[in-house]
Amino acid sequence: MTSLPWLTVLWLVPAVGAIAVALLPAGPGQVGAVAESAGQDRRQGRSLQAGVAVSLVTLGWSIAMAVAFPGSPGTRFGLTESHRWIPAIGARYELGLDGVGLVLVLLTTALVPLLLLGAWHAIDASQGDPRIYVALTLAVQAMVLLSFVATDILLFYLVFEAMLIPMYFLVGGWGQLDRALRARAALKFLLYNLLGGLIMLAGVIGLFALTARARLGEDGRGSFGLSEITAAIADGKVDVGGPAGLAICGAFLFAFAVKAPVWPLHAWLPDAAVAGTPSTGVLMMAVMDKVGTFAMLRFVVELFGDTAKEFAPWITVLAVVSIVYGLLLAIAQTDLMRLIAYTSISHFGFIVLGVFALSPQSQAGAALYMLNHGISTAALFLVAGFLTSKHGTRSIADFGGVQKVAPVLSGVFLIAGLATLSLPGLAPFVSEFLVMIGSFGRYPVVAVVATIALVGSAVYILWTYQRMMGGPAGPGVDRIGDLDRRQRVVLFPLIAALVVLGFWPRPALDAITPAIDHTLRSVSVAPPPAAPGHAGPTLVEPPQGGHR
């Protein structure tokens, strides 16, 4: 427990900032409900400047919080807060930050100011008020940050669902597609995720009923507290086994698989990711969707333990199907932005595989992959967005010879593309390697198929680069300018992060490993088979007393 409310301030700054930006005066240049061009530019600039300022304050606070975060391996949550909330049902305002949450918090707070800068000329004021765009972006950030630190299950569920609303309006409100297509994509996104959330709600109610039967919480009315429930499960007071436990665990897992997204629950992502602005697509794929994979670690593996282990073989199969499916669909795309969206389905498959391979290396790799995928996807999607906005088309066939007229843009595109295929020396390689070696001992066939799929990823990246950047210039390509100063400010930090984490991932792994060790203590799994005469690495202690 700390006297300074680090975690509350973390999400409250962007939440209050969203309200403040939405209430900014419209400013000069208004003619009725529509601003003149100069007025639009001033209003958009003022809104985005305010949003960037709020997001930079949030970033500064998260960095200070990371410095204050204790590095003791024996500490489950380095920073915590707990207050009475709804005592009648045992719900508390409980927050806790571990190492996995910390790296995702830093990813979120670092990306949002870059995304707002990247959206500077992508927001068409004729589609909606720029103030609302910025406010909705900050609202999503606030809810995502709260989801990474919420340890009361009811509180987590509420923000898990609430973040859908601002994202729905971001997808449907601004973008290059026409209004009807954006509205259809936004509705599809909302319906899929609401379905997952409703099924999770049934699981939340079922879990609360089990805790009430065990007389947990204030006055024995039941509890939503993650730490209290996991302790009660370890002591045998709450049983999450049997048909009831499987149903509750399955409900949680279904909701998180929709958010992740895992095949066959992925169908909403490609449409939603490309319907909005590129910054909105990155906010969805690189930030919001990480809530699903993060929750698999925290609320499925850690909370349900051996019950989650029963789902593991099936989920790993779905994960490898996602890897191969995303790869094949990416190769078949003619739309550049949809190609990148399908690559994310493949990458999420690797993350889910790492989570449910249930080994120290695979889960550490999965947690690190969440960070690295966020950076690489942001770089690739944003540079692709800059490129397509300059040329006015997203069709790969309409490009060619871009490297002759925009060498810096082409170079950034190449580095970001090589990162998505996990080139050694760039950040995703380390995380993907950890997932593979951690999965091979437990599910060798799945790991081999996933490894072979890595070779295919070179096809869609290098082939796309060759068609777009090399060869003779396509019609109108000569009018594409290179990256301007603002676009370089957005992209260069992402490229630098890919290189630094590619050669020095230790700070992130040092933060992640203690949390992973604690999670795996909840699962009674034997270590993967070791080579003859070698005991194999052990990063976690075996479960005591064979609980669960």
Side-chain angles (χ1 to χ4, degrees):
M1 184 70 70
T2 177
S3 58
L4 191 63
W6 287 104
L7 305 179
T8 295
V9 174
L10 175 69
W11 70 265
L12 202 57
V13 169
V16 173
I19 297 172
V21 171
L23 296 177
L24 283 174
Q30 292 277 67
V31 178
V34 181
E36 295 176 348
S37 178
Q40 289 180 356
D41 292 341
R42 285 194 294 270
R43 182 173 58 177
Q44 177 174 312
R46 186 166 54 249
S47 302
L48 287 168
Q49 287 169 1
V52 171
V54 171
S55 62
L56 288 175
V57 171
T58 309
L59 174 59
W61 185 263
S62 69
I63 292 173
M65 187 177 67
V67 173
F69 188 81
S72 172
T75 303
R76 175 65 185 98
F77 293 110
L79 299 172
T80 60
E81 294 179 39
S82 181
H83 306 283
R84 289 171 63 89
W85 181 29
I86 314 176
I89 58 173
R92 297 181 61 84
Y93 175 76
E94 285 189 348
L95 309 179
L97 183 69
D98 62 10
V100 177
L102 177 63
V103 297
L104 293 177
V105 162
L106 291 172
L107 170 69
T108 302
T109 57
L111 282 183
V112 169
L114 299 178
L115 297 183
L116 289 173
L117 285 172
W120 205 277
H121 296 303
I123 304 173
D124 187 346
S126 65
Q127 297 175 343
D129 194 329
R131 296 172 299 177
I132 303 304
Y133 179 92
V134 175
L136 291 173
T137 300
L138 293 175
V140 172
Q141 182 189 27
M143 294 176 192
V144 168
L145 291 174
L146 182 52
S147 71
F148 288 146
V149 299
T151 55
D152 181 275
I153 295 172
L154 181 61
L155 176 62
F156 173 84
Y157 170 76
L158 292 177
V159 294
F160 183 80
E161 288 290 270
M163 68 179 69
L164 302 178
I165 304 305
M167 183 59 73
Y168 166 82
F169 287 108
L170 282 172
V171 172
W174 294 266
Q176 296 178 345
L177 300 183
D178 64 60
R179 186 178 297 274
L181 292 177
R182 294 200 311 270
R184 189 180 306 133
L187 182 61
K188 190 175 183 180
F189 155 78
L190 188 63
L191 291 178
Y192 265 80
N193 283 274
L194 281 179
L195 173 63
L198 288 173
I199 292 175
M200 180 184 172
L201 178 59
V204 171
I205 295 171
L207 183 62
F208 179 77
L210 293 181
T211 66
R213 186 182 305 168
R215 303 190 64 80
L216 296 184
E218 297 182 27
D219 302 324
R221 296 177 179 176
S223 174
F224 292 101
L226 175 65
S227 298
E228 185 176 16
I229 296 174
T230 52
I233 293 172
D235 293 339
K237 296 178 182 178
V238 174
D239 182 14
V240 291
L246 283 171
I248 295 170
C249 179
F252 277 71
L253 187 54
F254 181 89
F256 303 150
V258 172
K259 183 85 80 179
V262 177
W263 182 92
L265 305 174
H266 68 286
W268 60 269
L269 178 65
D271 292 336
V274 304
T277 68
S279 290
T280 297
V282 173
L283 186 65
M284 176 185 295
M285 294 185 293
V287 176
M288 191 191 75
D289 289 351
K290 297 299 188 302
V291 176
T293 49
F294 169 79
M296 289 179 182
L297 274 173
R298 174 166 288 184
F299 295 105
V300 175
V301 177
E302 182 171 345
L303 186 61
F304 293 98
D306 288 350
T307 304
K309 186 177 66 175
E310 297 187 36
F311 283 99
W314 305 100
I315 299 301
T316 55
V317 171
L318 294 181
V320 79
V321 171
S322 296
I323 293 170
V324 176
Y325 175 88
L327 162 70
L328 295 177
L329 267 291
I331 294 174
Q333 295 306 306
T334 58
D335 182 308
L336 177 61
M337 307 305 280
R338 290 184 70 87
L339 182 152
I340 300 172
Y342 275 107
T343 67
S344 277
I345 294 174
S346 185
H347 290 303
F348 274 108
F350 279 104
I351 297 173
V352 174
L353 173 61
V355 170
F356 284 94
L358 300 176
S359 73
Q361 294 88 351
S362 71
Q363 289 200 344
L368 184 62
Y369 210 138
M370 296 182 212
L371 171 65
N372 293 337
H373 170 262
I375 300 170
S376 61
T377 295
L380 186 58
F381 210 72
L382 287 174
V383 72
F386 294 152
L387 176 62
T388 55
S389 65
K390 288 172 179 288
H391 194 33
T393 178
R394 303 191 321 199
S395 174
I396 296 173
D398 290 338
F399 290 86
V402 174
Q403 63 185 3
K404 299 174 183 177
V405 297
V408 177
L409 186 154
S410 299
V412 172
F413 186 94
L414 178 61
I415 295 172
L418 292 175
T420 64
L421 63 84
S422 299
L423 183 75
L426 296 174
F429 170 77
V430 179
S431 46
E432 212 158 82
F433 183 73
L434 284 170
V435 169
M436 290 296 96
I437 63 173
S439 303
F440 187 82
R442 206 171 303 281
Y443 301 109
V445 174
V446 168
V448 167
V449 173
T451 304
I452 293 173
L454 285 176
V455 179
S457 64
V459 174
Y460 62 73
I461 290 298
L462 298 180
W463 187 36
T464 300
Y465 181 85
Q466 181 185 33
R467 286 183 291 168
M468 295 182 63
M469 307 301 169
V477 169
D478 56 325
R479 297 192 300 269
I480 296 177
D482 215 335
L483 296 174
D484 60 31
R485 181 181 302 175
R486 176 185 56 84
Q487 293 167 342
R488 295 185 188 200
V489 168
V490 171
L491 292 172
F492 285 5
L494 298 173
I495 299 301
L498 289 174
V499 175
V500 171
L501 286 172
F503 285 94
W504 193 44
R506 179 174 175 177
L509 286 173
D510 284 348
I512 288 168
T513 300
I516 296 300
D517 288 352
H518 189 282
T519 298
L520 283 176
R521 290 191 182 99
S522 303
V523 189
S524 304
V525 292
H534 187 267
T538 302
L539 300 185
V540 295
E541 299 173 1
Q544 300 298 318
H547 68 271
R548 303 189 192 182

